Amino acid sequence: GENVEQHPSTLSVQEGDSAVIKCTYSDSASNYFPWYKQELGKRPQLIIDIRSNVGEKKDQRIAVTLNKTAKHFSLHITETQPEDSAVYFCAASRRGQLTFGSGTQLTVLP
Amino acid sequence: IAGITQAPTSQILAAGRRMTLRCTQDMRHNAMYWYRQDLGLGLRLIHYSNTAGTTGKGEVPDGYSVSRANTDDFPLTLASAVPSQTSVYFCASSDSFRDRGHNEQFFGPGTRLTVL
Protein backbone atom coordinates (compact mmCIF):
# COMPACT_ATOMS: atom_id res chain seq x y z
CA GLY A 1 0.00 0.00 0.00
CA GLU A 2 0.85 3.67 -0.05
CA ASN A 3 3.29 5.12 2.48
CA VAL A 4 3.54 8.87 3.08
CA GLU A 5 6.37 10.38 5.09
CA GLN A 6 6.21 13.98 6.32
CA HIS A 7 8.95 16.25 7.66
CA PRO A 8 9.56 18.02 9.91
CA SER A 9 7.32 16.88 12.75
CA THR A 10 7.59 20.31 14.41
CA LEU A 11 8.44 23.69 12.91
CA SER A 12 8.73 27.09 14.57
CA VAL A 13 9.05 30.28 12.54
CA GLN A 14 8.94 33.98 13.26
CA GLU A 15 5.87 35.85 12.12
CA GLY A 16 6.40 37.05 8.57
CA ASP A 17 8.88 34.31 7.68
CA SER A 18 8.17 31.41 5.34
CA ALA A 19 7.46 27.81 6.32
CA VAL A 20 8.09 24.72 4.22
CA ILE A 21 6.77 21.23 4.91
CA LYS A 22 7.86 18.27 2.80
CA CYS A 23 6.27 14.90 2.04
CA THR A 24 7.29 11.84 0.09
CA TYR A 25 5.05 9.04 -1.16
CA SER A 26 5.73 5.52 -2.34
CA ASP A 27 2.95 4.59 -4.79
CA SER A 28 3.63 6.00 -8.25
CA ALA A 29 -0.07 5.50 -9.08
CA SER A 30 -1.13 8.14 -6.54
CA ASN A 31 -2.57 11.07 -8.44
CA TYR A 32 -4.07 13.52 -5.96
CA PHE A 33 -2.25 15.29 -3.14
CA PRO A 34 -4.24 17.40 -0.65
CA TRP A 35 -3.01 19.33 2.37
CA TYR A 36 -5.13 19.66 5.49
CA LYS A 37 -4.87 22.07 8.39
CA GLN A 38 -6.06 21.00 11.82
CA GLU A 39 -6.38 23.43 14.70
CA LEU A 40 -6.34 22.11 18.25
CA GLY A 41 -9.49 20.16 19.02
CA LYS A 42 -10.96 20.78 15.57
CA ARG A 43 -11.52 18.72 12.46
CA PRO A 44 -9.02 18.66 9.55
CA GLN A 45 -9.85 21.13 6.79
CA LEU A 46 -8.52 21.23 3.24
CA ILE A 47 -6.29 24.22 2.49
CA ILE A 48 -4.91 23.33 -0.94
CA ASP A 49 -4.58 20.34 -3.22
CA ILE A 50 -2.72 19.40 -6.38
CA ARG A 51 -3.23 16.78 -9.05
CA SER A 52 -0.55 14.69 -10.67
CA ASN A 53 -0.77 16.53 -14.00
CA VAL A 54 0.21 19.84 -12.34
CA GLY A 55 3.64 20.81 -10.97
CA GLU A 56 2.70 23.81 -8.86
CA LYS A 57 -0.39 25.50 -7.48
CA LYS A 58 -0.72 28.71 -5.53
CA ASP A 59 -3.52 30.24 -3.47
CA GLN A 60 -2.62 33.58 -1.90
CA ARG A 61 0.04 32.87 0.74
CA ILE A 62 0.12 29.12 0.29
CA ALA A 63 1.57 27.06 -2.53
CA VAL A 64 2.18 23.41 -3.22
CA THR A 65 4.77 21.88 -5.53
CA LEU A 66 4.83 18.31 -6.85
CA ASN A 67 7.75 16.35 -8.28
CA LYS A 68 6.30 13.13 -9.67
CA THR A 69 9.66 11.73 -10.70
CA ALA A 70 11.06 12.02 -7.19
CA LYS A 71 7.67 11.29 -5.60
CA HIS A 72 7.69 14.24 -3.28
CA PHE A 73 5.54 17.29 -2.73
CA SER A 74 5.86 20.34 -0.53
CA LEU A 75 3.72 22.99 1.13
CA HIS A 76 5.00 26.55 1.22
CA ILE A 77 3.46 29.22 3.44
CA THR A 78 4.76 32.77 2.98
CA GLU A 79 4.35 35.77 5.28
CA THR A 80 3.28 33.53 8.14
CA GLN A 81 0.81 34.84 10.70
CA PRO A 82 -0.03 33.62 14.22
CA GLU A 83 -3.31 32.16 12.92
CA ASP A 84 -1.27 29.82 10.70
CA SER A 85 -0.24 27.95 13.87
CA ALA A 86 -1.78 24.46 13.60
CA VAL A 87 -0.97 20.89 12.60
CA TYR A 88 -0.63 20.38 8.86
CA PHE A 89 -1.11 17.00 7.18
CA CYS A 90 -0.16 15.99 3.69
CA ALA A 91 -1.90 13.09 1.98
CA ALA A 92 -1.69 11.03 -1.18
CA SER A 93 -4.68 9.51 -2.92
CA ARG A 94 -5.27 6.76 -5.39
CA ARG A 95 -8.90 6.22 -6.40
CA GLY A 96 -10.19 8.47 -3.64
CA GLN A 97 -8.60 6.77 -0.62
CA LEU A 98 -6.25 9.05 1.30
CA THR A 99 -3.06 8.01 3.05
CA PHE A 100 -1.92 10.73 5.44
CA GLY A 101 1.48 11.80 6.63
CA SER A 102 2.07 11.95 10.39
CA GLY A 103 1.65 15.73 10.58
CA THR A 104 3.71 18.86 11.22
CA GLN A 105 3.04 21.09 14.22
CA LEU A 106 3.67 24.62 12.93
CA THR A 107 4.12 27.38 15.49
CA VAL A 108 4.32 31.00 14.33
CA LEU A 109 6.02 33.11 16.94
CA PRO A 110 4.86 36.75 17.25
CA ILE B 1 -28.21 19.10 9.48
CA ALA B 2 -25.49 21.04 7.72
CA GLY B 3 -22.56 19.06 6.38
CA ILE B 4 -21.39 16.04 8.31
CA THR B 5 -22.14 15.23 11.92
CA GLN B 6 -20.94 12.61 14.38
CA ALA B 7 -22.28 11.27 17.65
CA PRO B 8 -21.41 11.03 20.43
CA THR B 9 -18.90 13.84 20.90
CA SER B 10 -17.04 11.78 23.46
CA GLN B 11 -17.47 8.47 25.25
CA ILE B 12 -15.78 6.49 27.98
CA LEU B 13 -16.28 2.78 27.51
CA ALA B 14 -15.38 -0.31 29.50
CA ALA B 15 -13.26 -2.88 27.71
CA GLY B 16 -15.32 -5.66 26.17
CA ARG B 17 -18.37 -3.47 25.57
CA ARG B 18 -19.94 -2.93 22.16
CA MET B 19 -20.07 0.61 20.81
CA THR B 20 -21.43 2.22 17.65
CA LEU B 21 -20.20 5.60 16.48
CA ARG B 22 -22.66 7.42 14.27
CA CYS B 23 -21.96 9.53 11.20
CA THR B 24 -24.48 11.34 9.03
CA GLN B 25 -24.00 13.64 6.04
CA ASP B 26 -26.53 15.68 4.11
CA MET B 27 -24.36 16.58 1.12
CA ARG B 28 -25.44 13.51 -0.91
CA HIS B 29 -21.82 12.43 -1.20
CA ASN B 30 -21.37 8.93 -2.54
CA ALA B 31 -18.20 8.12 -0.59
CA MET B 32 -17.73 7.98 3.18
CA TYR B 33 -14.74 7.12 5.35
CA TRP B 34 -13.77 6.38 8.93
CA TYR B 35 -10.37 7.40 10.29
CA ARG B 36 -8.73 7.14 13.66
CA GLN B 37 -6.27 9.78 14.82
CA ASP B 38 -3.55 8.98 17.30
CA LEU B 39 -0.80 11.32 18.43
CA GLY B 40 2.22 11.09 16.15
CA LEU B 41 0.48 8.77 13.69
CA GLY B 42 -1.74 11.13 11.79
CA LEU B 43 -5.05 9.87 10.43
CA ARG B 44 -5.35 6.23 9.47
CA LEU B 45 -8.18 4.84 7.35
CA ILE B 46 -10.28 2.17 9.07
CA HIS B 47 -13.05 1.46 6.55
CA TYR B 48 -14.57 3.20 3.59
CA SER B 49 -17.64 3.04 1.38
CA ASN B 50 -17.68 4.22 -2.22
CA THR B 51 -21.45 3.97 -2.51
CA ALA B 52 -24.48 2.83 -0.54
CA GLY B 53 -24.45 -0.95 -0.17
CA THR B 54 -20.67 -1.35 -0.52
CA THR B 55 -17.83 -1.14 1.99
CA GLY B 56 -14.10 -1.77 1.97
CA LYS B 57 -11.22 -2.21 4.39
CA GLY B 58 -8.67 0.49 4.99
CA GLU B 59 -5.27 0.40 6.65
CA VAL B 60 -6.41 -0.58 10.17
CA PRO B 61 -9.75 -2.47 9.93
CA ASP B 62 -9.28 -5.11 12.64
CA GLY B 63 -11.78 -4.84 15.50
CA TYR B 64 -14.12 -2.56 13.56
CA SER B 65 -17.09 -3.08 11.26
CA VAL B 66 -19.20 -0.72 9.15
CA SER B 67 -22.40 -0.74 7.16
CA ARG B 68 -23.82 1.58 4.52
CA ALA B 69 -27.55 1.00 4.24
CA ASN B 70 -28.19 4.40 2.64
CA THR B 71 -26.30 7.39 1.25
CA ASP B 72 -26.43 9.53 4.39
CA ASP B 73 -25.36 7.22 7.24
CA PHE B 74 -22.15 5.32 7.87
CA PRO B 75 -21.96 3.85 11.40
CA LEU B 76 -18.77 2.36 12.82
CA THR B 77 -19.09 -0.50 15.31
CA LEU B 78 -16.59 -1.80 17.82
CA ALA B 79 -17.88 -5.27 18.66
CA SER B 80 -15.75 -5.72 21.78
CA ALA B 81 -13.73 -2.62 22.64
CA VAL B 82 -10.09 -2.86 23.75
CA PRO B 83 -7.87 -0.13 25.29
CA SER B 84 -5.81 0.16 22.08
CA GLN B 85 -8.95 1.50 20.39
CA THR B 86 -8.73 4.63 22.53
CA SER B 87 -8.47 7.37 19.92
CA VAL B 88 -10.22 10.23 18.19
CA TYR B 89 -12.44 8.97 15.38
CA PHE B 90 -13.24 11.10 12.36
CA CYS B 91 -15.84 10.40 9.74
CA ALA B 92 -15.46 12.00 6.31
CA SER B 93 -17.32 12.14 3.04
CA SER B 94 -16.58 13.12 -0.55
CA ASP B 95 -18.16 13.30 -3.97
CA SER B 96 -15.61 10.86 -5.35
CA PHE B 97 -17.52 10.08 -8.54
CA ARG B 98 -16.90 13.61 -9.74
CA ASP B 99 -13.55 14.32 -11.35
CA ARG B 100 -12.13 10.79 -10.95
CA GLY B 101 -11.75 10.91 -7.20
CA HIS B 102 -9.72 14.11 -7.02
CA ASN B 103 -12.07 15.58 -4.49
CA GLU B 104 -11.98 17.14 -1.08
CA GLN B 105 -12.93 14.96 1.83
CA PHE B 106 -15.09 16.81 4.34
CA PHE B 107 -14.55 15.77 7.93
CA GLY B 108 -16.99 15.53 10.81
CA PRO B 109 -16.19 17.06 14.21
CA GLY B 110 -14.84 13.79 15.61
CA THR B 111 -15.64 11.43 18.49
CA ARG B 112 -13.17 11.10 21.35
CA LEU B 113 -13.34 7.51 22.59
CA THR B 114 -11.62 6.22 25.72
CA VAL B 115 -11.62 2.48 26.42
CA LEU B 116 -10.72 1.55 29.98
Side-chain angles (χ1 to χ4, degrees), chain B residues 1 3 11-12 15 18 22 26 28 32-33 36-37 39-40 62 69 75 82-84 86 89-90 93-94 98 102:
Chain B
I1 299 175
Q11 182 75 45
I12 298 174
R18 181 183 180 89
R22 300 184 298 279
D26 66 354
R28 307 305 294 172
M32 298 187 74
Y33 313 86
R36 60 176 289 171
Q37 184 173 34
L39 194 63
D62 294 343
V82 295
S84 61
T86 293
Y89 291 85
F90 285 100
S93 71
S94 72
R98 183 174 60 86
H102 300 158

Side-chain angles (χ1 to χ4, degrees), chain A residues 57-101:
Chain A
K57 183 177 178 180
K58 189 173 182 180
D59 183 3
Q60 299 183 340
R61 295 187 298 108
I62 60 173
V64 58
T65 59
L66 171 65
N67 183 326
K68 283 183 62 180
T69 302
K71 288 189 281 188
H72 67 71
F73 55 114
S74 300
L75 177 71
H76 304 251
I77 305 174
T78 59
E79 301 173 21
T80 54
Q81 302 168 2
E83 52 265 38
D84 293 330
S85 295
V87 179
Y88 292 81
F89 292 98
C90 63
S93 170
R94 182 184 176 201
R95 294 183 302 211
Q97 294 169 39
L98 293 177
T99 300
F100 284 86

